[in-house]
Each structure stands twice: as structure tokens, then as C-alpha cells.
Amino acid sequence: MTAPMDRQGIEKLIDGMTLKEKVGQLTMLSGELVQTGPASAPVTSAAIQNGEVGSLLNLVGPERIRDAQRHAVEGSRLRIPLFFSLDVLYGLRTMFPIPLGESSAFDPTLWETTARVAAEECAVEGIDLTFAPMIDIARDPRWGRTLEGPGEDPLVGQRIARAKVRGYQTADLASPTAIVATAKHFAGYGAVLAGREYASVDMSERLLHEVYLPPFKAAVEAGVACIMPAFVDLNGTPMSIHVPLLRGLVRERWGFEGVIVSDWSSIAELLLHGVAAKPEAAALALNAGVDIDMMGKGAYVDGLPEALDRGLITMARIDEAVRRILLLKLKLGLFDDPYRRCGSPEAVAAIGAQPARRALAREAARKSIVLLTHSGDTLPLKNSLSSIAIVGPFGEIVGGSSEPAADERVAELVDRLKTAFPKAAISVATGSHVEQPDDSGLEAARREAGQSDAILLCLGERVDMAGEASSRAHPDVPQPQQELARAMLDTGRPVIVLLFSGRPLILPDWLAAGAKAILACWHPGSEGAGAIADVLSGAHNPSGRLSMSWPADVGQIPIFYAERPTGRPRLETEHFSSKYLDIPNEPRFTFGHGLSYTTFLLTNPRATRWTITAGEATEILVDVKNTGAMAGEHTVFLFIRDVVSSITRPQLELKDFTKVALAPGDMNTVRFTLSSDQLRFLGADLEPLLEPGLFDVFVGPSADPAQLQMLELRVNPPPSVA
């Protein structure tokens, strides 16, 4: 009987490996089931048996994975198992709202639970590692990958990072239902030039360390087992070879001991960056700490042996990378049972409750929907309505490759609305395609809508209009849909806009003013239709809040709430102040914005201690009352502003958020713990610094200054040492 593998066994394996077998462990190739990059490479059984590949991506299904794994553990010389990976950004079989949408729930428990379900579904299909969470901060909605991330705020990014890592990995990576999380894309990818995919990133060290790095540090602290560097260069150095950040910061300062995997062919693309030829590119990436070359067109396979011969790398450096990969496989339990995630009884049992998973998807979609505008008492829609018209290209907009065809999606929405409004006749008229007009369809939409009690106008962008390689210079509602919207408003019937997108959209003034309500539904996942019906009927009171500011005009981009103050703040009466001549400074909707069918009142903000010193904390309390007629959930944010500091600080910095559920007339006291550590900032040397003085503390429902209530907190200098 073979002894179980341990760390000592890993060292023996490394000692017995040829250079070719070592480089094979550093090589990830595509299983060709799903195309996620611009190139492909065949994976043969001979390549696996010869030890030329250490991991595969885009291969799904227990039988296919068992077959590939069998070649590795039964047909290769060293019998080292493969691990299998896949992009699972918002679900595998059960689809949840896109991450940007889910971030609007401001609910870490929900974030962790949806990751747990995704991991369980992956484990049944043989997947060991997901390339998620994507925790790039984004402040430019032109960037398509805004869809995949947490929005504009680093604290939200940190909390999502921790929740997703816990959900995917659990406390034991060897569990048959646990998979490896990958924190990507390290770092600053969300700040690409002009929001254009794969472009350069140029930012200050302060901005990088204050905004873009904290979510990745949080992921490391949560125990993330894998990190993926971004395609892009940062201030002239491609991230795949950024020694100060990958090796110096992540590995040495943060203590990250896991695996670093390149993005698709990013090491080979160093040649296009103009920083290296093939062997030099491989050496630079390995020396920076990149362990795995994903689909690198032979970057490591061809480049590392030559780099070793030329003295550009050492065998010790290769062994270091191999060791990390083998240790990850050990932690995953693959040496004990290489087929443990190929439909094991534990994994199958974990996903057995299909209705429960769909209920979770519906809850996630409900909590992600944001009520952007609302006039009168339009919503929730009355049960007495006799007719409702669904207008717009809903079937084209909603869904993805794993979901039903367009006509089935429309039929599902109709079915859910019929259940919610049994007295209403439901009609459907497309009226327009997503990006092309439909003149005959427009006339039909006018006829149907003109006879209805309410119009549900479905607008937005298809799911493939956001995401990787989907930057949009004008992130707005496409013109044919705007023409449809004008026609619907012209009917004089109440128009409720259901807006679907993977990013903040720039809405025309006339639409924001003319619609009775606008709901940001994002791309809501498998149970989006039911969630929409729940919100429209009032079965669920919308509670979503924006995790990203929505600009009023493209000229405001990038836009975010945490700007630093200027010496010439905007004054309408002063020409020489910080403002546009032609548009307002303010976004259409600020960070944290989101309406409800009820009303909430925040009163009596106070502190348990008004003065603290280093190492101490205070509690910030505020009373929240539901002053409306419907039960609801309210999100309360805690911001600070350092009044006088040696480094200019943002006008608002988010330090905490929480949610409170209240019945009509009920009141509860929300409590935040605010410690001196949370009042620190990065000093001139980019090291944490606590300065004594006054801090303004704000509580409220969003970053809109008009909605915030303020109190003052003083930090005293430490007592002098006698």
C-alpha cells in the first residue's frame, strides 16, 4: 500500500523530476470545451502521459475529467494528478446575478453563500479551481469587465474578496465540495486607459496602494490559494513581470504562499509589450513569481530551458514554482483521490436540493435589483391591473449561453408576471432589437402599449456587450431602444423601465424624468424573471444600492464619490472653481443610491466615546425607523473625513456598512465599531499612519452629502512618555 503523500513526499517528487516534467507542471493548457482566449492548443493523451502539462482549463464534466486524469495518474511516469480549472464568475449551473449586480446587495452572507453553491456545482463537474473572484476596482463604466467586479470602493472589494474566498474554499480545500479561488486581476486593471480593454495603466503609487491593492490583500488574509496578474502594464512594467509587487509585496510582505497563474497567454504577450524576447519573457515572469503559464504559446515550455542554459534563471527558482503547484494539489486532496471532484457522493449530495439553489438565485436577484427612480405610488403595481405590456428586446438582452433561448426567456417572464398579477392580461411586443431598429415591431409595440394599464419597458445591453473585450466608448442605451422608449412615453401610459446591463449606463434626461420608475436589474441570472415579478408586485421591497456611481454624461468619466478636495471647490457664482461649463459635477446616481417602497428616518447619530487614542475604539450609533407603510430593508453607510491631515484625504471614505430590516413603524439602533486603526491612512512613505485631530463621521443611506448626518470624533495624541 502506497503511503499518503505529504510535504516530504513532494520534495522526493521534485528531486526525481526531469526538467521537462518540471516545466510541464508549470504549464496550463485548454481542454477546448470553452473558448476564453484568442488562441488554442490541442491537449493530447500523450502530452499528459509525458508530463508536458500540469493543469487544464475549460474541460467540464466528470467523465471527461476522469479520462484526462486517468492519463496523468495511471499513464505518466510520476503519476502526478492534474488539476482542472474554469471561469465560474457568477455560477455554473445555477446562474446568479453578475458580480457587479450582486455587489449591490451589500450582503456578505449572500456573497459567500452564492460562491458556496457555485463551488458545489463545480465539484460535481470535476472542477478544482475557479478564476474568481474578480476584485478589480472600477471607476470607469466604459471598461467592459466592470461587470465582473465589486464596483468603485475598496472596502466593498475587500468584503467581497473575503466572502468569496470563504465560499469557494471553505476551511478545508481537501473537501470534495471545496475549490480553489483565484483573486484576479492583480492589480489596477480596472483603471485601463480610457476604459479600453488591455490598454496601459498609469497611476500614482498612492492610488494603487489606497484603492486597487486592498481587495487583494484581503483575499490573501482570507487564505486565497491562487492569484492571477493582469494582462496590462502598470506604470510601464507589465504585471506578469512586476517583481516589486508580485514577489516583493505579495509574497514577501503579505506572506502569500499560494500559486500565481498567468492570464491567458500574457507571458507570450510580453513580446508585444516590447520588454523581452521569448526566453527573457519566460525568465522575467518566473523570477517575478509567476508559477503557471496559461496558454502561453510555449512561453515556459520553450523559454525556460533556454533561460536556464543562459543563466537567466536557476533550477532552484523552477523548483520553487513546482513546489507551490504540487503543494496546492496536495491541499486539494488530489494525491489521495485524484477523482474526488468527479461526482463524489459528498459533492452530489451537496447540490441535491435543486429548489433550494433556485430559491437562492431568486433571493440574490431580488436583493441586487436597485430602484433608481420612482414617482408617485406607481410601484408596486396594483393587483387590480387589467393589462400589462412587456415591451422591448427582453429575450435578446437577458441570459447567457447556459440559459434558455430568447423566446423561452420571454415566456418565463410572462409566466412569472401572470402568477404575480392573475387578473392582468399580459401582452408582448419587442418594438426594437438591441442595436438595430425594427420599424414594423415599433408600430406593433405602440398598439399593444397604447391599450395597456402599464408598460414594462425592457432596455439595456446584451450580456455579451459587457465583460472581457467589451469596452464601450458610449456606455448608454443603444439609439434604437431610445427611439422605442420615446414612443412608449408618448403613449401617455405609465412606463416602468427594466434596465439590464453589466455596467452603469448613461441615461438621457428625458427618460429619467419621463419614466414612472426605473429599475436596475443588471443581468439577474437563472431566476431573474421571478425576482422581477417579486419586486414589481411588492412581494419583495427593493433594497439594492449602487456599488458604483452612474454618470450623467460620458464627459464625467471616471467618476466616483471619494474624490479629494480641491483648493477651489465648485461654486456656481465663481467662474474660477472646479466645475464643468456644460454639465453638472454630480453623477446621475451616486454610490449607495437606491430607493424603497417605504421610507426610513435616521436620527440621533451619536458615539459612545467622542475622544479616542491609538489602540482604542468607539461605537457610532444611529436610530433607524421605518416611517412608511411597508416592511423593508435599509442599508446604512458609515463614512469618515479626516479634517486636517498631512496628506490630502478623500472627502468621504467608507469605513463600514450594514443592513437593518424593519416592519412599518418599527425602529432599531444600528451600531458601528470604529477603531483608531480604521482612521489610519498611508503617509508620505505609504506606511499606515494615525494622526491626532478631528474626524468628521457621517452616517446615511448613500454618499450623497445631502443625505448624510455628521458628528465629530477627536483622536488625541498618545500620552507622552515620562
Side-chain angles (χ1 to χ4, degrees):
M1 182 175 178
T2 304
M5 181 62 70
D6 57 14
R7 286 178 175 263
Q8 187 175 3
I10 294 294
E11 296 305 319
K12 288 181 180 179
L13 262 182
I14 294 172
D15 288 343
M17 295 173 75
T18 65
L19 175 60
K20 183 177 181 180
E21 289 168 331
K22 290 178 180 179
V23 174
Q25 287 301 306
L26 311 186
T27 301
M28 178 183 287
L29 297 178
S30 175
E32 299 306 302
L33 181 64
V34 181
Q35 187 69 26
T36 62
S40 63
V43 179
T44 64
S45 59
I48 297 172
Q49 290 171 350
N50 292 335
E52 297 171 14
V53 56
S55 53
L56 293 176
L57 75 157
N58 295 342
L59 192 69
V60 180
E63 295 308 316
R64 300 185 70 192
I65 285 177
R66 276 181 177 274
D67 185 55
Q69 189 72 284
R70 179 175 54 81
H71 292 298
V73 299
E74 299 177 25
S76 68
R77 186 178 75 89
L78 295 175
R79 301 177 180 271
I80 299 173
L82 302 167
F83 71 77
F84 299 86
S85 51
L86 188 71
D87 262 313
V88 183
L89 300 176
Y90 40 100
L92 183 63
R93 299 292 176 245
T94 305
M95 304 301 292
F96 298 104
I98 60 170
L100 181 64
E102 197 179 77
S103 70
S104 298
F106 283 91
D107 188 338
T109 300
L110 177 70
W111 299 333
E112 181 176 346
T113 306
T114 57
R116 182 84 293 272
V117 167
E120 291 169 352
E121 294 186 346
C122 284
V124 167
E125 300 295 335
I127 303 303
D128 303 294
L129 178 149
T130 177
F131 300 117
M134 197 281 269
I135 46 178
D136 293 300
I137 299 303
R139 294 175 168 182
D140 187 335
R142 293 173 297 183
W143 187 51
R145 298 193 87 158
T146 296
L147 171 151
E148 301 175 27
E152 73 182 57
D153 187 80
L155 178 69
V156 178
Q158 290 173 72
R159 294 197 176 174
I160 286 179
R162 293 190 185 101
K164 293 299 183 183
V165 170
R166 288 193 304 266
Y168 288 127
Q169 297 190 173
T170 72
D172 180 14
L173 264 181
S175 166
T177 64
I179 64 173
V180 170
T182 303
K184 69 179 190 184
H185 309 83
F186 184 88
Y189 191 12
V192 285
L193 180 66
R196 194 174 66 251
E197 186 69 81
Y198 313 128
S200 293
V201 174
D202 200 336
M203 68 170 66
S204 70
E205 287 293 305
R206 175 165 300 281
L207 185 61
L208 175 70
H209 283 264
E210 288 186 347
V211 174
Y212 292 91
L213 289 178
F216 290 94
K217 185 178 182 184
V220 171
E221 291 170 346
V224 74
C226 187
I227 289 176
M228 177 185 288
F231 288 109
V232 299
D233 76 274
L234 175 66
N235 301 336
T237 301
M239 280 306 312
S240 297
I241 60 172
H242 208 303
V243 174
L245 288 178
L246 293 181
R247 190 169 289 278
L249 180 70
V250 174
R251 292 215 183 273
E252 295 175 8
R253 290 197 61 180
W254 292 356
F256 177 67
E257 297 179 346
V259 167
I260 295 181
V261 58
S262 81
D263 210 335
W264 186 291
S265 79
S266 64
I267 297 175
E269 290 170 11
L270 291 171
L271 282 66
L272 298 176
H273 279 280
V275 297
K278 200 166 198 176
E280 287 84 358
L284 288 168
L286 188 73
N287 285 328
V290 178
D291 303 307
I292 296 178
D293 174 24
M294 180 202 292
M295 292 299 294
K297 303 175 184 177
Y300 271 11
V301 169
D302 299 331
L304 289 182
E306 183 178 347
L308 185 64
D309 287 342
R310 291 171 52 186
L312 301 176
I313 57 171
T314 64
M315 185 60 77
R317 191 70 90 189
I318 293 176
D319 289 350
E320 179 185 88
V322 173
R323 182 177 296 109
R324 284 192 285 260
I325 294 164
L326 296 181
L327 286 172
L328 180 61
K329 294 179 179 182
L330 179 66
K331 291 176 182 176
L332 281 165
L334 294 174
F335 284 101
D336 292 336
D337 178 7
Y339 308 108
R340 68 193 306 112
R341 292 178 185 83
C342 294
S344 71
E346 297 95 328
V348 171
I351 68 163
Q354 174 74 13
R357 283 183 286 144
R358 297 196 72 87
L360 177 65
R362 189 158 175 166
E363 178 190 8
R366 284 194 302 246
K367 289 187 171 183
S368 300
I369 292 173
V370 181
L371 181 59
L372 296 174
T373 69
H374 189 208
S375 61
D377 61 349
T378 305
L379 295 179
L381 294 175
K382 308 297 184 291
N383 286 329
S384 58
L385 289 179
S386 61
S387 60
I388 298 173
I390 302 172
V391 177
F394 175 82
E396 293 181 50
I397 292 172
V398 176
S401 59
S402 63
E403 295 193 292
D407 57 345
E408 293 181 55
R409 296 173 194 146
V410 175
E412 183 181 16
L413 179 61
V414 171
D415 182 66
R416 298 296 183 271
L417 289 172
K418 283 182 175 178
T419 300
F421 302 99
K423 297 178 182 178
I426 312 293
S427 63
V428 176
T430 301
S432 169
H433 300 295
V434 173
E435 295 182 277
Q436 293 82 34
D438 180 358
D439 293 338
S440 60
L442 181 59
E443 288 306 312
R446 282 196 179 100
R447 289 194 301 272
E448 292 290 347
Q451 302 170 16
S452 66
D453 292 335
I455 301 170
L456 302 181
L457 179 59
C458 303
L459 303 175
E461 52 183 14
R462 295 186 310 273
V463 69
D464 64 356
M465 291 171 69
E468 186 174 352
S470 297
S471 297
R472 295 182 64 199
H474 299 281
D476 53 12
V477 176
Q479 191 60 40
Q481 294 184 63
Q482 292 196 34
E483 294 173 7
L484 174 64
R486 285 186 183 276
M488 295 302 100
L489 292 176
D490 287 345
T491 66
R493 301 293 184 176
V495 174
I496 296 95
V497 175
L498 305 179
L499 198 60
F500 301 90
S501 70
R503 51 162 61 88
L505 294 181
I506 297 169
L507 304 179
D509 292 341
W510 54 264
L511 180 60
K516 293 295 184 182
I518 301 177
L519 288 156
C521 300
W522 314 106
H523 292 290
S526 301
E527 291 297 309
I532 290 167
D534 290 341
V535 169
L536 291 174
S537 67
H540 177 82
N541 189 347
S543 60
R545 300 295 185 82
L546 297 179
S547 63
M548 194 170 176
S549 303
W550 284 42
D553 190 275
V554 71
Q556 297 175 318
I557 298 171
I559 189 166
F560 50 95
Y561 79 88
E563 289 189 32
R564 299 179 194 274
T566 170
R568 294 190 176 187
R570 185 192 67 177
L571 293 172
E572 294 304 325
T573 57
E574 175 56 62
H575 178 70
F576 296 100
S577 64
S578 181
K579 63 179 185 291
Y580 299 105
L581 293 177
D582 50 351
I583 57 174
N585 285 11
E586 293 81 13
R588 170 83 65 191
F589 306 113
T590 192
F591 173 90
H593 173 77
L595 305 177
S596 170
Y597 297 156
T598 191
T599 54
F600 296 93
L601 180 65
L602 274 64
T603 57
N604 193 25
R606 57 203 184 274
T608 55
R609 301 178 65 182
W610 299 94
T611 302
I612 62 173
T613 58
E616 296 180 340
T618 183
E619 275 195 314
I620 307 299
L621 297 82
V622 62
D623 298 329
V624 184
K625 184 175 182 179
N626 183 341
T627 54
M630 188 173 182
E633 197 170 33
H634 197 51
T635 301
V636 184
F637 297 94
L638 175 73
F639 300 95
I640 68 158
R641 179 173 61 213
D642 195 341
V643 178
V644 178
S645 56
S646 57
I647 300 291
T648 300
R649 305 305 304 141
Q651 296 175 103
L652 288 176
E653 296 179 71
L654 182 64
K655 292 300 175 181
D656 207 350
F657 58 85
T658 192
K659 304 181 81 165
V660 57
L662 295 171
D666 281 359
M667 185 176 73
N668 204 342
T669 299
V670 168
R671 296 172 176 267
F672 298 102
T673 298
L674 185 62
S675 71
S676 62
D677 284 345
Q678 292 172 277
L679 304 178
R680 294 178 184 272
F681 64 92
L682 300 184
D685 57 359
L686 296 180
E687 293 297 328
L689 174 66
L690 176 67
E691 291 182 341
L694 281 178
F695 289 80
D696 292 336
V697 179
F698 302 89
V699 289
S702 75
D704 180 359
Q707 294 186 306
L708 295 174
Q709 299 186 46
M710 189 191 83
L711 52 89
E712 283 188 347
L713 177 69
R714 178 175 292 277
V715 174
N716 280 340
S720 58
V721 179

